[in-house]
Amino acid sequence: MQLLFIADPLEDFKIAKDTSFAMMREAACRGHQLSACEPQDVMWQRGARVTAHVRDLTLTGRTPEWFRETGRRAVALADFDAVLMRKDPPFDSEYFYATHLLEQAEREGARVFNRARALRDHPEKLAILEWPELIPETLVTRSAADVRAFHAAHRDIILKPLDGMGGMGIFRVGPDGLNLGSIIETLNRGGAQSLMVQRYLPEITQGDKRVLLIAGEPVPYALARIPQGSEIRGNLAAGGKGVAQALSARDLEIARTIGPELHRRGLLLVGLDIIGDCMTEINVTSPTCFQEITAQTGFDVAACFIDALEAAVSQPKQT
């Protein structure tokens, strides 16, 4: 297969843990051809197809120069066997516009994973609202008064922006309400921006579990990202410690409740965030943790994903 990865700059990859790199390495081992570009390299004009200015790659097996560029060319996305959208959040206006270009490419015959409309329809914080029985007490609002009422009811809360990633902008406010007003002002920008508020889950001390779904099926191991020291965030980007563990019965219940439906909608790869018995996020843009799970358990997540990708490409195109 000829694969196009739409991602952040290759030079910024931290290949010791990068999931997109793990996908590339497994694909290359199977003889698939690799190309890459950034979202700004994708364009369309009337009379032509959606096209990307891509870099063709071979992997070197070395660091730090882990790839060699073998050429640059302009190629219609539909000419690739699969296009993998792996741009990291935030889901901002440019990401939104990129999904429209990718959807046009799909109309022209491109196979995009995850599908463009599914990316657009499942913002990572808000997608959980569809399954209220699986999530903690949650509020989405612009209103400071609503947040204060939620805090009064639950006493210990987490506040976070809807467009953050890696734990950025997450605050905890306890029963004393210390700095609640300032935090609301920071996150809602005077009522101009929505935020999410959730009941604090003390099980976070045991880890914020990343449960991966591939083609609707759960990977048998999660990565519990455990906060360190006085930190409340388990995100690896915020210094959390990643510990792989077998899925619990509740993890499996959540995964099997929503996994098949998400796959039906065109989401080949999903990362659920689960704290204790509650799902807190559904990550669809560029789910991670492949390498950490594989290194600690021996379960080859990248091989499982490329198996699923190959199977998906062999099937008739969804409409």
Side-chain angles (χ1 to χ4, degrees), residues 93 99 103 117-118 234 257 316:
S93 58
T99 67
E103 192 168 20
R117 179 178 293 274
T257 297

Side-chain angles (χ1 to χ4, degrees), residues 225-238:
R225 298 159 298 174
I226 301 172
Q228 300 297 293
S230 60
E231 181 59 71
I232 63 167
R233 300 169 298 173
N235 310 74
L236 300 183

Side-chain angles (χ1 to χ4, degrees), residues 19 210 212 223 225 236 287-294 301:
T19 288
R210 168 57 56 84
L212 294 168
L223 190 75
R225 298 159 298 174
L236 300 183
T288 60
C289 300
F290 278 29
Q291 296 206 56
E292 294 88 347
I293 291 173
T294 298
V301 186

